[in-house]
Amino acid sequence: MSPTAPDTAPSGRVPAARRHAGPLPGARAGSLRAALLRAAPALTAYLAVRLTSLLLLALWAHRQRHGVWPILATQWDAAWYLGIADHGYAHELGTRYDANNLAFFPLYPLLVKAVAAVTPGTRATTGLCLAVAASVVAAWGVFAVGAHLHDRRTGVLLATLWAALPVGLVQWMGYTESLFTACAAWALYAVLTGRWLWAAGLAVAAGLTRPTGVAVAAAVTVAALLSLRRGFSGRALAAALLAPLGWCGYVGWVGLRLHRWDGYFAVQRLWHNEWDGGVETLRRMRQLLMYDSTPELFLVLVTATLLGSAVLFALSLWDRQPLPLLVFSGVLLLIVLGSGGVYFPRARFLLPAFPLLLPPARHLLRASPRYRVLMLGAAVAAGAYFSAYMALVWPSAP
């Protein structure tokens, strides 16, 4: 299927002015160049925001006599992925808590290992470079979705807001959020433009990157199945069947490796991650907001992010966003809010939910230029501060 000649999209015929909001792999060189030029303002704004945040981190770290590179490339989850790239996965379940690396999905460490084998430098450097490159691809995909649904200015603002999120530093760490967001954004763009096989392939990649890849698979599968009501399409049916295979494949492989059908879920229990319908989330919120007289600033930020995301999802429903975006954001929220696991990384877990930023992006576009500049400046400043605080003051993992 040629990415420059999409099938009928789930929402009907793709408007001619929007067909080239972004490319997909396999696009002709001319089309790719044109799409890149169209996305240039968004990518420039994205890099400017991230470099501002990195500069503040470097200055703050210098005052505390910390190195920036270890923070970005070798600590916390980055260390787990580098360990997998170096030594592979565990063969047994074990009984130690927070110790089994089968909880981490394989695509990112496999890419690190493969690219490091043919490039100079350490695997830590390779992993960080891959994350930064993936973040730019993700920002391009975020822009493409916003520009396709509305216009170029919306796409630029959407990418800028995504860059300025309070935990946005994770986009430039040896973590999987950037790679996952890149897969998710381009999968959703492929669905919106009727490129079913690209959507399925990207959903498979997302499912091999993070546990929340099931949200991308759900969005692609639901949209593909609903499109069949307008007429049979072999590609849409294939996408519906193929999209969950990445996530299911890894979960199944872990079960085979541990010789038990619930192997992956047993690993997650050792990491204190079980779905309880939101009981633990509500308990932690209640404790922080009602009983803790000196709550940790970072935990207050996490709580505000969770509550704000729920409000933004309600606004997304009100705005009648396309169903694939609502399914993706909704399933992601359901997983994060309904988890009974650790509380502090949940703002990071919601980082890929960029469709939730469409309502504020549209609001800013309707506002006066002065208000828009003030709000964007405040968002960038707050994002830079909280990112540095997360890395240098908060004592646990981002």
Side-chain angles (χ1 to χ4, degrees):
M1 174 175 59
S2 170
T4 57
D7 296 338
T8 302
S11 57
R13 183 175 177 80
V14 180
R18 297 181 182 173
R19 288 179 185 171
H20 301 294
L24 283 170
R28 294 191 300 269
S31 174
L32 185 63
R33 191 180 307 112
L36 181 57
L37 288 173
R38 179 172 168 77
L43 299 182
T44 301
Y46 174 78
L47 291 172
V49 173
R50 296 297 341 125
L51 288 171
T52 299
S53 179
L54 184 62
L55 177 61
L56 177 62
L57 174 68
L59 293 174
W60 195 336
H62 177 72
R63 291 180 63 86
Q64 293 192 0
R65 301 184 184 277
H66 286 302
V68 172
W69 186 85
I71 293 173
L72 300 179
T74 64
Q75 295 181 1
W76 306 113
D77 284 17
W80 283 100
Y81 289 116
L82 292 173
I84 293 169
D86 288 337
H87 308 295
Y89 280 105
H91 288 83
E92 298 178 351
L93 178 62
T95 57
R96 290 176 55 203
Y97 286 98
D98 306 330
N100 195 309
N101 65 6
L102 286 166
F104 297 87
F105 277 52
L107 183 58
Y108 176 70
L110 288 177
L111 287 175
V112 171
K113 184 176 183 178
V115 175
V118 295
T119 56
T122 65
R123 283 179 173 168
T125 301
T126 300
L128 182 57
C129 290
L130 281 173
V132 172
S135 76
V136 177
V137 177
W140 192 353
V142 170
F143 162 80
V145 171
H148 174 80
L149 290 176
H150 298 285
D151 51 41
R152 189 183 188 188
R153 295 174 68 210
T154 301
V156 172
L157 264 179
L158 191 62
T160 305
L161 290 174
W162 184 68
L165 287 173
V167 292
L169 179 66
V170 173
Q171 298 167 13
W172 282 14
M173 295 177 68
Y175 280 46
T176 56
E177 273 71 19
S178 290
L179 179 61
F180 179 75
T181 306
C183 294
W186 285 109
L188 292 172
Y189 178 77
V191 169
L192 294 172
T193 55
R195 298 166 166 98
W196 292 115
L197 296 185
W198 283 117
L202 289 162
V204 169
L208 290 170
T209 304
R210 290 195 59 77
T212 46
V214 69
V216 184
V220 174
T221 296
V222 169
L225 291 176
L226 290 178
S227 75
L228 296 177
R229 297 186 303 177
R230 296 188 298 272
F232 179 77
S233 166
R235 290 176 176 177
L237 180 59
L241 297 174
L242 293 172
L245 292 186
W247 188 88
C248 293
Y250 180 68
V251 170
W253 179 81
V254 172
L256 291 173
R257 192 172 182 85
L258 299 180
H259 307 291
R260 50 185 295 176
W261 69 270
D262 66 338
Y264 173 75
F265 303 101
V267 171
Q268 288 294 341
R269 285 193 291 272
L270 287 178
W271 282 87
H272 310 282
N273 284 332
E274 293 184 87
W275 200 83
D276 65 1
V279 174
E280 176 65 12
T281 302
L282 291 174
R283 186 191 72 79
R284 290 302 303 270
M285 287 183 176
R286 183 168 173 262
Q287 178 183 351
L288 278 166
L289 299 177
M290 298 178 63
Y291 298 107
D292 194 341
S293 59
T294 57
E296 286 274 4
L297 177 61
F298 186 69
L299 295 181
V300 174
L301 171 67
V302 171
T303 302
T305 300
L306 297 180
L307 294 173
S309 297
V311 171
L312 289 175
F313 183 70
L315 291 175
S316 300
L317 287 169
W318 181 267
D319 288 345
R320 297 183 179 180
Q321 281 185 14
L323 183 62
L325 272 62
L326 292 174
V327 171
F328 170 67
S329 300
V331 174
L332 197 59
L333 269 174
L334 191 64
I335 294 171
V336 174
L337 295 178
S339 171
V342 288
Y343 188 75
F344 56 82
R346 298 196 195 187
R348 167 169 66 90
F349 294 164
L350 286 174
L351 188 70
F354 71 91
L356 298 178
L357 299 173
L358 271 170
R362 297 298 295 167
H363 169 73
L364 286 176
L365 276 176
R366 291 189 291 266
S368 68
R370 181 181 179 183
Y371 176 83
R372 184 160 58 246
V373 169
L374 286 174
M375 289 298 101
L376 283 175
V380 172
Y385 171 78
F386 280 114
S387 287
Y389 183 95
M390 173 183 69
L392 297 171
V393 179
W394 171 245
S396 192

